[in-house]
Structures are given as structure tokens and as C-alpha cells.
Amino acid sequence: MRILRAKHLGMCFGVRDAIDLALRKAAHQPLTILGELVHNENVVSTLRDRGIEIETDLNAVETALVMITAHGTSQRTLDQARGRGLNVTEATCPLVRHAHQAVARFVTTGYHPVIIGKRDHVEVRGITDDRAEFDVILNEADVERLEVRPRFGVAAQTTQPFDRVCALVTLIQKRFPKSEVRFADTVCQPTKQRQSAAVELAEQCDLVIVVGGAHSNNTQELVATCRRHCPRVHHVQSAFDLRPEWFAQGETFGITAGTSTPDSIIDAVEQAITNTGLSRIFEGTKGDANRPQVLESAKCGTIESVFSAG
């Protein structure tokens, strides 16, 4: 058995900084985070264990201090929070903030904003909620529904695959040859690195495990990318989601992870896969009582060791 890790995987600096900020603030006074700080259930659970409140409704916030997530929010929401007398701390990733600024520049210079991303994603809502007019697209059918505009300003949700973004920009240019189409590359570098590394990994593997939150967009995109290059791909949130039968066939197994996945969880997944390999070696040579227990030995992991690596 051979286990390969993607060259780029796991937590990005924006997520690490957001978690660090939340823990430091919560150590001094009660804190409420407006929404999930990051889309990873293990991280969110650990934050709750530290006494941090998480609310999706601003009106339900009871602490004096409220934090905006790494995904950012609209100026309207910030104004509403401050209007209630709340002390607002922003954990917005600087690369998400760059996307906000790019769209704002489009609007002030007369371009109709088009965002490539998922309409209901919190990051996209934060970018668009302050805008009177905008379009959100994700596929060719969405491009076909765009109305004619003299100027289009195109930006992207930071976790969209760059090849998809480029393809949709090209489609807009072809559909509206008489319009001016400007593109601001707002796909973040960690996303590009993880997508590229996922392709390289998947092409070498019999099976790929993608580790990340169930609702993490960048993790879902990694799963889709890997499936284009490897016949067997599974999305797990922790080592407890692994199934020994997945590893009954094949010799090379890959691991990649979304940008909100702690190092400890990735390590636990790798250890569980290693234990599965040992089970295969011993299978048929010793009784069941002596076979290694694959999943029971793997710990889920928390964010305690997030900051110890890289």
C-alpha cells in the first residue's frame, strides 16, 4: 500500500487566522460568531466547546462582541450590527475582502457586476447584498440568461475552480461580442494550489479521500475535480467516516483536504488508512481477534493542533 498526500491541502492562512482571532477574543469576553466561522463541523464544535456562541440571526445575538466569519459579509449587515451597539470584529479573509473591493470598483466605474459562484453561499451573499443590480452565474445556462449590458464586470467566489471561471468568462465574451467584458481574478491562491495539486494526486491514485466539511464549497469542488481524474473518490469529514472495504482493492491511495480542515483530522485519516493497510497484510494469516482495529484507533482530532504546523 502507498499513501500519497496532495502537495497542497488543508487549512489556508485565512481560516487559521480567523480561528486564532476567535479564540483570542473569546478568552477575554463572551463572543458570538455570526454564522459558521468556517464550513467545518469539527472546528465549529470545538469553538462551541470554548464557550463561543454561533448565531445566524443578528437579532438573536446577546453578547456585546460579535464576529464576522472568514467568508465576510455585506456593509449593510455591518451597519446593522453597529447600529445595535454591538462591538464588531471582522475575521474576513483578506482574499475575500479583495473580491468585495473588485466588485465595488466595477460598480463605481459603470460595469454591471457578474459573480461566478453559488448564489446562496454566504460569501456570495456578502458580496452581492449591497448591490441593487447584479447577476450570479455558475454554468452555461446561467450565461444564456444574462441580459445585454454595455459593460460587464466579472468576479468570482474565491473558492471556485479557476478553469470553470475562465470558461464562463469566455462564454460571456462570445455571447456579448459588442459588450466590454472585464474580469477581475478573485479566485484565491490557496484554492488554485489545492485544485492543481488535486489533479496531480488523482492521476496517480486508485482511490482518493477528500477530507472536509459537508457544506464546504472548496471541499466539494475538490471532490468534483478528483472524480474527473480518478475512478474512486470519497468525501469524508473525519476518520470515522472511512470504510475498510474502500481499500480492499488498489495499491495507491491519495489524501487531499479542503481549506478549513485541521491538520489533526488529516493526520487521523492517514493513520486510519495506514491501519487499513495493516489489516490487509494480516488478513487470512491471523484470527480476527488479532487483526488491527482500523477505525477505533483513529481519533477525530480537534483544532488544538491547528497552529502547530506551517
Side-chain angles (χ1 to χ4, degrees):
M1 170 185 280
R2 191 167 60 127
I3 300 174
L4 303 178
R5 285 196 186 203
K7 290 181 179 178
H8 298 279
L9 80 170
M11 276 197 174
C12 63
F13 74 89
V15 170
R16 291 180 189 272
D17 290 350
I19 295 171
D20 182 44
L21 181 61
L23 294 176
R24 285 191 283 109
K25 291 290 184 179
H28 297 286
Q29 67 181 106
L31 169 67
T32 299
I33 298 174
L34 193 59
E36 292 186 352
L37 186 65
V38 294
H39 286 155
N40 185 288
E41 292 183 9
N42 294 288
V43 172
V44 172
S45 177
T46 301
L47 293 173
R48 290 186 189 276
D49 290 343
R50 297 291 187 90
I52 296 173
E53 299 291 332
I54 297 174
E55 292 286 353
T56 56
D57 182 1
L58 182 61
N59 293 321
V61 174
E62 297 181 352
T63 60
L65 178 63
V66 64
M67 176 175 284
I68 304 303
T69 75
H71 300 103
T73 193
S74 63
Q75 188 61 48
R76 180 185 306 175
T77 298
L78 292 173
D79 292 343
Q80 289 173 348
R82 292 179 177 126
R84 287 193 55 207
L86 297 173
N87 181 8
V88 179
T89 294
E90 292 191 63
T92 307
C93 172
L95 301 180
V96 173
R97 195 182 303 278
H98 169 66
H100 281 251
Q101 294 167 346
V103 172
R105 284 193 296 270
F106 281 144
V107 173
T108 57
T109 53
Y111 290 82
H112 176 74
V114 177
I115 312 302
I116 298 172
K118 293 186 175 181
R119 179 177 297 275
D120 294 329
H121 191 279
V122 61
E123 180 187 324
V124 174
R125 293 200 309 270
I127 293 172
T128 60
D129 277 355
D130 292 325
R131 306 300 159 202
E133 288 190 340
F134 62 88
D135 282 294
V136 179
I137 65 172
L138 196 59
N139 52 46
E140 185 173 352
D142 292 336
V143 174
E144 290 300 317
R145 285 191 285 268
L146 291 175
E147 297 180 3
V148 177
R149 308 273 182 172
R151 290 177 165 185
F152 290 96
V154 186
Q157 181 181 348
T158 58
T159 55
Q160 283 294 305
F162 189 63
D163 56 351
R164 175 190 296 158
V165 171
C166 291
L168 290 174
V169 172
T170 299
L171 284 175
I172 295 172
Q173 292 170 329
K174 289 182 178 178
R175 181 158 188 266
F176 302 102
K178 295 183 180 180
S179 299
E180 182 183 354
V181 179
R182 288 188 60 187
F183 168 53
D185 180 8
T186 54
V187 177
C188 71
Q189 189 64 20
T191 291
K192 292 175 181 175
Q193 290 174 332
R194 282 152 184 74
Q195 282 283 329
S196 176
V199 172
E200 182 179 348
L201 176 75
E203 289 177 343
Q204 302 177 65
C205 294
D206 301 303
L207 178 146
V208 175
I209 298 297
V210 183
V211 190
H215 304 295
S216 165
N217 180 72
N218 74 85
T219 301
Q220 293 169 357
E221 295 293 354
L222 285 174
V223 171
T225 294
C226 289
R227 283 179 175 158
R228 289 195 292 270
H229 300 274
C230 179
R232 294 189 294 145
V233 178
H234 294 286
H235 178 187
V236 303
Q237 295 191 77
S238 74
F240 292 110
D241 296 328
L242 295 170
R243 296 292 176 265
E245 58 266 25
W246 295 347
F247 307 94
Q249 296 179 343
E251 293 299 327
T252 303
F253 305 108
I255 301 173
T256 188
T259 56
S260 56
T261 306
D263 301 329
S264 57
I265 294 180
I266 299 171
D267 292 342
V269 166
E270 181 171 3
Q271 184 59 54
I273 297 173
T274 299
N275 290 348
T276 303
L278 292 175
S279 293
R280 288 172 54 183
I281 293 172
F282 286 109
E283 187 172 359
T285 64
K286 294 184 179 181
D288 286 346
N290 294 323
R291 290 173 60 186
Q293 297 299 304
V294 176
L295 298 182
E296 292 179 2
S297 65
K299 301 301 180 184
C300 179
T302 69
I303 63 173
E304 300 294 337
S305 62
V306 164
F307 309 107
S308 63

